[in-house]
Amino acid sequence: MSPQPGVFDFHVHAGDAFRTHEISAYIRDTQLTGLCLLSLPTAGYPGADKLPPHMNEAVLESKKRLSASENIPVYAFGCLDNRDLLPASRAGGAVKSLPSPAEQIAILHEAGFDGLKLWEGKPLLAAALGLKPQHQRLVDACREAGRRDMPVIFHVADPPEFWTRAAGETAYGDGLPGFDELIEGAALLCEQAPETQIVFPHLLFLAGDLKRAASFLERLPNASLDLAPGNYAYEPLAADRETSIAFFTEYSKRILFGTDAFFFTVDAFPLPGDSLEGNCRRCSRLLSFLSGGKDVENPYPLASVGARRVRGLSLPGHFLADILAGNAHRILTKPPKEVGG
Ligand SMILES: [Zn+2]
C-alpha cells in the first residue's frame, strides 16, 4: 500500500490567540503536515464596527506560538487595513492617512506574514468599502505581494443561491455587486497581476458550474482554487459525480485542500468561531468526500432534502496527493517567515 499523502490545510482561520492550543490539538487530531493561518479584514463588515480593523495581530501571535510548538510549517496570511475607505463613523473614529496598499504589504511581510488574505470580494464587504475585485487598490496590493513571492487568497462572491429567494430574508439584492460581475472582476485582477499566485477559496463558488470554473483556470494561469467548504459545494459536486471527478483530475494541480476551520472566539459576533470538534469534523468530512466513495453528511443548511448525505468522489491517489499537499508546497516556495519582535 502506498503511504498516505500528507495533508496541508491551506485555509484555517485564526483570530483569537487564546485558542492557539486548540489549533495545536487540531494539527495533531487531523495529522496535518502544514497549514496556513488566515487573518480577516473586518473594517466595514456589517456588525464588526467594534472589532479591530483586521485580525493580523492575533494571527501572528498564533503563528509564533505554533511555530515554536509544532513540527510542521505554519504560514500566515495578513490583511489590509481598509479604514481609510470608510466614513469616520464606521471606522471607529477619524483615520489618519494609512500606508498605501503596497506599503501595507511590505509591512505585513516584514512582520512575518507569508501571504495576503483578501476578503474584499465578499459582497457585503465589497459594497461597504466600494471595492470591486479589479480595483486599483487590490491590483497594487496583489502586485506587491507577487513581487515578494507572497501568494494571495482572495474570497470573491458567495454561493449563487445567496442572490436568490432560496436565501430568504437575507437574499442579496440592491446595492450589492452581482455574482457574474464579481467572477469577471476576479479574472480581471488576475490579468492585472500576472506574476502573483492568486487562490480563490470555495472553488470560487463555481462548484455548480465546473465548465465555467475550467474556463476560468484555462484563461488565467496564475489562478488556483481552494476547496474550503464551501459547504455549498457538496451537493453540486455529488450531483454530477463523473463531471466532478473529471474536473478534479484535469485540474488537480490547480486545486488546494482547505477546511475553512474557524478558530475565532467561539461566540463572537458577527464572526463566531467553531469548536475544536466542529473544525476537526470539517476536515475529516472533506477528506472522506475527496478520498472515499461512501456517503458523507452534507452540513449545508440550504441543501436539498435528497442531498443531506452525498457520495464521495473517491479520487485516485496521485491526483489526491497534489490536492492535499503537493500544490501547497508548490505555491509556498519558501519556508515560513519568522515572526519579528
Ligand atoms: Zn474562509
Side-chain angles (χ1 to χ4, degrees), residues 11-13 38-40 117 119 153 155 201-202 226 228-230 259-262 264 282:
H11 196 129
V12 174
H13 286 281
L38 311 186
S39 177
L40 273 184
K117 165 66 180 171
W119 205 40
I153 302 181
H155 179 122
H202 319 296
D226 97 20
T259 60
D260 216 9
F262 291 118
F264 307 130
R282 274 172 182 273

Side-chain angles (χ1 to χ4, degrees), residues 29-280:
D29 287 2
T30 55
Q31 300 185 311
L32 294 187
T33 54
L35 84 162
C36 295
L37 296 176
L38 311 186
S39 177
L40 273 184
T42 39
Y45 190 69
D49 296 12
K50 296 208 163 51
L51 300 180
H54 46 61
M55 302 188 180
N56 292 351
E57 271 180 44
V59 169
L60 221 45
E61 180 59 30
S62 289
K63 179 188 179 184
K64 193 173 170 179
R65 293 186 199 173
L66 291 170
S67 301
S69 67
E70 306 306 315
N71 206 12
I72 62 169
V74 177
Y75 293 88
F77 284 58
C79 293
L80 296 174
D81 183 342
N82 292 317
R83 283 173 299 162
D84 52 344
L85 299 179
L86 296 168
S89 58
R90 296 216 52 207
V95 178
K96 280 185 259 150
S97 70
L98 294 170
S100 71
E103 286 164 348
Q104 290 198 37
I105 301 300
I107 293 166
L108 290 173
H109 200 202
E110 288 309 308
F113 282 104
D114 308 282
L116 169 66
K117 165 66 180 171
L118 294 172
W119 205 40
E120 287 84 342
K122 180 134 181 109
L124 290 170
L125 185 61
L129 299 173
L131 289 178
K132 292 180 173 176
Q134 72 274 33
H135 193 284
Q136 195 60 45
R137 177 182 180 90
L138 302 179
V139 171
D140 289 348
C142 286
R143 284 186 182 155
E144 182 60 26
R147 264 195 288 275
R148 292 171 176 272
D149 245 339
M150 297 167 77
V152 176
I153 302 181
F154 190 4
H155 179 122
V156 173
D158 262 335
E161 54 269 28
F162 283 20
W163 279 264
T164 70
R165 274 191 298 182
E169 282 174 17
T170 55
Y172 293 165
D174 293 345
L176 292 185
F179 183 82
D180 293 332
E181 196 185 339
L182 287 165
I183 304 298
E184 181 54 22
L188 294 172
L189 173 72
C190 288
E191 287 172 347
Q192 293 292 315
E195 307 300 325
T196 308
Q197 288 292 328
I198 306 183
V199 179
F200 296 99
H202 319 296
L203 286 174
L204 193 50
F205 299 102
L206 294 173
D209 189 352
L210 293 179
K211 234 177 158 173
R212 190 169 178 187
S215 62
F216 189 92
L217 291 174
E218 292 292 338
R219 172 179 163 192
L220 305 154
N222 56 330
S224 307
L225 305 175
D226 97 20
L227 281 170
N231 289 330
Y232 84 98
Y234 285 110
E235 182 171 350
L237 291 179
D240 187 351
R241 211 167 156 266
E242 297 311 310
T243 302
S244 301
I245 293 167
F247 175 80
F248 276 85
T249 48
E250 176 74 26
Y251 297 103
S252 60
K253 299 255 189 266
R254 311 280 295 277
I255 301 170
L256 296 136
F257 179 83
T259 60
D260 216 9
F262 291 118
F263 286 100
F264 307 130
T265 307
V266 172
D267 291 324
F269 179 80
L271 294 164
D274 199 351
S275 65
L276 172 61
E277 295 70 30
N279 287 323
C280 289

Side-chain angles (χ1 to χ4, degrees), residues 227 234 236-246 248 286-294 296 310-316 320:
L227 281 170
Y234 285 110
L237 291 179
D240 187 351
R241 211 167 156 266
E242 297 311 310
T243 302
S244 301
I245 293 167
F248 276 85
L286 184 58
L287 278 174
S288 307
F289 179 72
L290 296 173
S291 61
K294 295 200 181 119
V296 300
V310 291
R311 190 176 160 207
L313 298 179
S314 202
L315 297 175
L320 206 52

